[in-house]
Amino acid sequence: MKIAVIGTGYVGLVTGTCLAETGNTVICVDINEAKVLKMQNGEIPIYEPGLDVLFLRNIEQKRLTFTTDLALAVKDAQIIFMALPTPPGGDGAADLSYILGAAKDISKLVTEYKVIVNKSTVPVGTADKVQAVFAENTSVEIDVVSNPEFLREGVAVEDFMKPDRVVIGTRSERAKKLMGELYGPYVRQGNPILFMDEKSSELTKYAANSFLATKITFMNEVANLCELVGADVDSVRKGIGSDERIGKRFLFPGIGYGGSCFPKDVQALAKSAEENKYDFAILKAVMEINEKQKTVLVEKVSKYYKGNLSGKHFALWGLAFKPETDDIREAPALYIIDDLVKAGATVTVFDPEGMENVKNVIGDKVVYAENQYDALTGADALLIATEWSVFRNPDFEKMEEKLANKVVFDGRNLYDLNKMVELGYYYNSIGRKLVENGA
């Protein structure tokens, strides 16, 4: 098939590349000329494991191209994906200006039947709004489909190529046929393509992310309680995760969720409920608790130093909101840095992929180390904010040599408590026994 993808952000680029991988001819559109030029030259603008191989292969095979010319992209495309940002507005509602603006531009270019796909995460009723924009500007028949993405950063290629499910919201038999043919190669193992109405499809994405955010937040609350009563959150996690009704995933406690999806999607669903005069109280609690959880590590640090962090120097491992991505949007590490610096401390940081993005946001607010061990030099303590694999089995002897004190505050529970006792560290993690050897 001939496909156009409008927007080459995270979702758009993964979608376009993976669609090209199954033999489709895909043209991706972006208004950023410099970005398009780089992609035309084979430079991938984001870090996502495995994407670079598919990206380069499909460019070389001329199945994947990039342009700033919307008319060129739309002209021959049978299906047009809109993968545009929907950032939260000042009131928390999703901003649809990019979606509706693109719909207006496309509506003035179509001359024959097209399927217009909302790939972005959008509030309930957006498909109707997009359909209305087309009705205002053209008499050409089109179908607007809701096809939410369920891509996890770090494993997005696998998620797209072998999805748990594909959700397609449309009441058009013609659109169902085209979309079913498009996604057929990705569900050969038997995972379902779920057809439903547009509004149900739109709500499915928000409900899924909000449920997962709630699950994470619940486990963080359990971890906080474990510390107060002397229970071990790892044991509790295993105990409840073995119940198939609950499942093992999204039960690891830590310092809150971040990223581009959960924060804005939970906020948007809560706002949508409010607009429909429904008090979605559990989501309000999730958002409030998550904000507090992002800086729980700073509270532990402050307590250890009796409330005085002025003149202290800390090492911070991990900046991205999760491993295997360079995405720092709503990353807990940024909140930790902000609180430490405000308290008069200095910070040296290291992250395998996220440092350039952090530099672009906070500049020289921190010192950037070339590797994880250089970050430790002279630090009063180490804080861990992201569970990168490279942090899981470090050289503890080298750590001891570099650190001024054998003190670790671990927001991701990377290390075995007994091992930290043996090594003589002060080790403060989330929802587990405090190891005070190095105190």
Side-chain angles (χ1 to χ4, degrees):
M1 290 187 184
K2 293 182 178 180
I3 311 293
V5 179
I6 316 303
T8 61
Y10 180 84
V11 172
L13 191 57
V14 172
T15 297
T17 302
C18 290
L19 287 172
E21 180 66 11
T22 53
N24 299 293
T25 300
V26 181
I27 182 166
C28 296
V29 187
D30 201 289
I31 60 173
N32 187 326
E33 293 183 4
K35 183 180 182 182
V36 168
L37 181 60
K38 286 183 177 180
M39 290 188 291
Q40 288 173 339
N41 291 330
E43 296 180 45
I44 193 166
I46 62 172
Y47 174 75
E48 177 62 37
L51 183 62
D52 53 346
V53 175
L54 306 189
F55 178 80
L56 292 172
R57 177 161 64 217
N58 285 284
I59 289 174
E60 290 171 1
Q61 295 296 319
K62 302 189 186 306
R63 291 190 298 263
L64 180 63
T65 57
F66 303 91
T67 185
T68 58
D69 189 339
L70 181 63
L72 175 66
V74 167
K75 183 176 181 294
D76 295 323
Q78 298 162 274
I79 302 175
I80 301 170
F81 283 84
M82 292 198 295
L84 296 157
T86 54
D91 61 352
D95 180 357
L96 295 178
S97 59
Y98 295 101
I99 298 284
L100 298 180
K104 184 175 181 179
D105 292 340
I106 295 167
S107 69
K108 296 176 180 179
L109 297 169
V110 295
T111 57
E112 58 185 350
Y113 175 79
K114 310 279 186 185
V115 173
I116 311 298
V117 182
N118 279 336
K119 196 64 178 171
S120 307
T121 301
V122 294
V124 175
T126 300
D128 291 341
K129 292 180 180 180
V130 172
Q131 190 83 46
V133 169
F134 275 86
E136 289 174 6
N137 292 283
T138 182
S139 59
V140 174
E141 181 186 0
I142 58 99
D143 281 315
V144 177
V145 171
S146 171
N147 173 219
E149 53 86 15
F150 297 97
L151 305 177
R152 296 168 295 161
E153 293 189 46
V155 287
V157 172
E158 181 181 351
D159 283 347
F160 197 102
M161 301 302 291
K162 296 179 181 179
D164 291 333
R165 80 291 202 195
V166 176
V167 173
I168 297 173
T170 182
R171 289 161 291 178
S172 163
E173 292 302 321
R174 190 175 181 182
K176 281 183 184 179
K177 185 175 184 297
L178 276 172
M179 295 297 288
E181 290 175 2
L182 180 66
Y183 277 110
Y186 303 95
V187 293
R188 295 184 66 191
Q189 293 180 331
N191 289 343
I193 297 179
L194 302 174
F195 289 102
M196 58 187 71
D197 65 273
E198 296 87 343
K199 289 183 178 179
S200 296
S201 173
E202 291 163 342
L203 185 54
T204 295
K205 173 57 187 285
Y206 277 123
N209 278 356
S210 295
F211 180 82
L212 294 175
T214 301
K215 194 174 181 182
I216 292 169
T217 303
F218 175 81
M219 203 63 213
N220 284 336
E221 287 282 82
V222 170
N224 294 337
L225 181 60
C226 282
E227 293 185 14
L228 295 175
V229 302
D232 178 72
V233 75
D234 287 340
S235 298
V236 176
R237 171 178 59 79
K238 293 172 185 176
I240 66 174
S242 59
D243 187 327
E244 63 181 15
R245 296 169 300 174
I246 297 172
K248 300 175 182 178
R249 299 174 66 182
F250 289 87
L251 287 181
F252 287 87
I255 50 177
Y257 61 78
S260 62
C261 294
F262 286 5
K264 74 177 182 65
D265 290 356
V266 173
Q267 189 178 31
L269 183 55
K271 182 61 180 178
S272 180
E274 181 184 312
E275 290 171 349
N276 286 277
K277 297 181 172 54
Y278 181 74
D279 183 16
F280 213 142
I282 193 169
L283 291 190
K284 292 179 180 178
V286 166
M287 290 186 287
E288 180 181 344
I289 293 165
N290 192 63
E291 285 303 300
K292 293 179 181 178
Q293 195 71 18
K294 287 179 180 178
T295 55
V296 70
L297 218 56
V298 178
E299 294 174 14
K300 290 174 177 286
V301 173
S302 182
K303 183 178 179 181
Y304 178 77
Y305 290 104
K306 298 179 173 55
N308 183 16
L309 302 185
S310 180
K312 298 296 181 185
H313 178 63
F314 298 105
L316 178 66
W317 281 359
L319 296 171
F321 86 94
K322 62 180 287 188
E324 300 302 332
T325 181
D326 61 356
D327 193 343
I328 62 165
R329 286 173 286 185
E330 293 298 318
L334 297 183
Y335 291 80
I336 292 170
I337 290 169
D338 191 53
D339 280 7
L340 290 177
V341 172
K342 282 180 179 177
T346 55
V347 186
T348 298
V349 303
F350 175 76
D351 186 279
E353 296 293 339
M355 291 202 292
E356 196 61 37
N357 287 340
V358 169
K359 284 181 185 179
N360 293 334
V361 174
I362 67 172
D364 59 359
K365 195 173 185 178
V366 297
V367 176
Y368 302 90
E370 291 188 7
N371 61 64
Q372 68 194 80
Y373 297 108
D374 285 352
L376 304 177
T377 303
D380 291 294
L382 165 65
L383 283 65
I384 302 173
T386 313
E387 62 274 33
W388 283 94
S389 295
V390 71
F391 301 150
R392 290 184 179 275
N393 192 25
D395 184 334
F396 284 102
E397 289 185 7
K398 186 178 288 188
M399 287 174 62
E400 184 177 347
E401 291 172 5
K402 294 279 189 176
L403 285 166
N405 302 292
K406 295 169 66 174
V407 178
V408 177
F409 297 90
D410 184 357
R412 300 300 179 183
N413 291 1
L414 296 189
Y415 307 132
D416 179 76
L417 296 178
N418 291 328
K419 183 176 181 65
M420 299 307 279
V421 169
E422 292 173 8
L423 292 171
Y425 275 82
Y426 173 92
Y427 181 63
N428 197 330
S429 51
I430 306 295
R432 303 193 295 174
K433 179 182 176 182
L434 175 64
V435 175
E436 299 187 82
N437 299 50

